[in-house]
Amino acid sequence: MSDFSIQNLLEHTRILSVDWPNRFMGEAQEELAARYIADQLESYGLVVHLSRVPVLGWEVEDGPFLQILEPERLVMECAPCFYSGSTESNGLSGRLEYFGEDFAGGGPVYKGEKADTWPKYAIVPEESQQPSGFVLARPNGPVIARNGPPAGSTVQANGPLYTWPSCTVGQSDGERIREWTEAGEKISVRYFARTKLKPNCTTTIVRGEIGGAKYPDEVIILGAHHDSMGAVGMPA
């Protein structure tokens, strides 16, 4: 059995974060990380089970790019929402309109507490009333990626999209958008991103078991992600 120590924990962390920093779900480095974790659990005497599970992979091929055209001309730092679709090659242009609040954590209540809400703005093309994309504003920090809005129904040349083209901006840019909206300013934007769905990916679930001595019939489950947040091509 391997020695359990702070030094060993730091070495495991170094290997996972330095040797395999791109542990995105369904990608090669995520598989290497899963196999490494399985080997370590076995070295501590656990009974290890590996399960291959199909997943929908996703990759950012180009972008993202969010340009404000009105009331000022500037570029906002942004990150694409996970699994969001591509824009056309010349981007998606339109007016930015407040669309409501988007719940972080999947719903209005999460583990007994009210979830954070992110202001959500629709990108509405000129001469249209229907959104074609979304911008979500993080209320409490710099820009980060997160799950996208509900699935859309648009279809592009590379097949149906999992969701509308969408991205997030950070707190400071979100406050700027809110101020423009409250002042009645017209907000025109152009958003560009090229993404790719990868439907034939798999991920590995690692399960290690320790038999209980005092209460062998009781089950305690401890879980953690071995994949890293993001996807191939995501902004650093």
Side-chain angles (χ1 to χ4, degrees), residues 16 23 33 55 87 90 103 108 115 118 146 150 156 179-180 185 188 193 196 202 205 215 223 228 232:
L16 292 173
R23 304 182 315 278
V55 294
T87 64
N90 60 346
F103 288 106
W118 292 33
R146 60 154 295 174
Q156 311 246 337
E179 290 170 359
W180 287 336
E185 298 275 9
S188 297
K196 178 173 68 175
T202 58
I205 296 176
Y215 302 104
S228 59
V232 174

Side-chain angles (χ1 to χ4, degrees), residues 1-4 40-46:
M1 178 180 290
S2 301
D3 293 331
F4 186 87
Q40 298 307 309
L41 293 179
E42 285 186 337
S43 75
Y44 281 97
L46 278 70

Side-chain angles (χ1 to χ4, degrees), residues 132-153:
S132 292
F134 290 94
V135 176
L136 286 79
R138 186 183 182 192
N140 54 2
V143 60
I144 58 172
R146 60 154 295 174
N147 293 335
S153 59

Side-chain angles (χ1 to χ4, degrees), residues 153-168:
S153 59
T154 54
V155 177
Q156 311 246 337
N158 63 343
L161 299 179
Y162 181 79
T163 188
W164 286 285
S166 55
C167 68
T168 69

Side-chain angles (χ1 to χ4, degrees), residues 1 36 38 68 79 81 89 98 108 110 118 140 155 160 206-207 220 224 231:
M1 178 180 290
Y36 175 80
I68 306 298
C81 294
S89 58
Y98 178 71
Y110 181 66
W118 292 33
N140 54 2
V155 177
V206 183
R207 187 174 83 248
I220 299 175

Side-chain angles (χ1 to χ4, degrees), residues 17-154:
S17 61
V18 176
D19 292 358
W20 304 315
N22 301 317
R23 304 182 315 278
F24 308 127
M25 188 172 63
E27 301 293 338
Q29 289 192 17
E30 188 233 4
E31 170 69 12
L32 291 172
R35 298 288 174 177
Y36 175 80
I37 292 169
D39 290 343
Q40 298 307 309
L41 293 179
E42 285 186 337
S43 75
Y44 281 97
L46 278 70
V47 177
V48 176
H49 305 270
L50 298 176
S51 304
R52 298 288 289 176
V53 179
V55 294
L56 179 63
W58 179 72
E59 181 176 329
V60 182
E61 296 183 303
D62 196 7
F65 178 80
L66 179 64
Q67 182 181 23
I68 306 298
L69 305 174
E70 295 180 277
E72 300 178 22
R73 294 190 70 89
L74 55 93
V75 174
M76 287 186 173
E77 183 182 9
C78 67
C81 294
F82 294 135
Y83 293 102
S84 60
S86 293
T87 64
E88 298 289 352
S89 58
N90 60 346
L92 170 63
S93 297
R95 61 189 184 275
L96 203 63
E97 298 183 353
Y98 178 71
F99 199 77
E101 299 293 310
D102 191 81
F103 288 106
V109 177
Y110 181 66
K111 294 183 179 179
E113 297 181 1
K114 184 176 179 180
D116 291 335
T117 58
W118 292 33
K120 179 165 61 176
Y121 300 87
I123 303 175
V124 184
E126 296 298 332
E127 311 303 327
S128 174
Q129 299 299 317
Q130 297 298 321
S132 292
F134 290 94
V135 176
L136 286 79
R138 186 183 182 192
N140 54 2
V143 60
I144 58 172
R146 60 154 295 174
N147 293 335
S153 59
T154 54

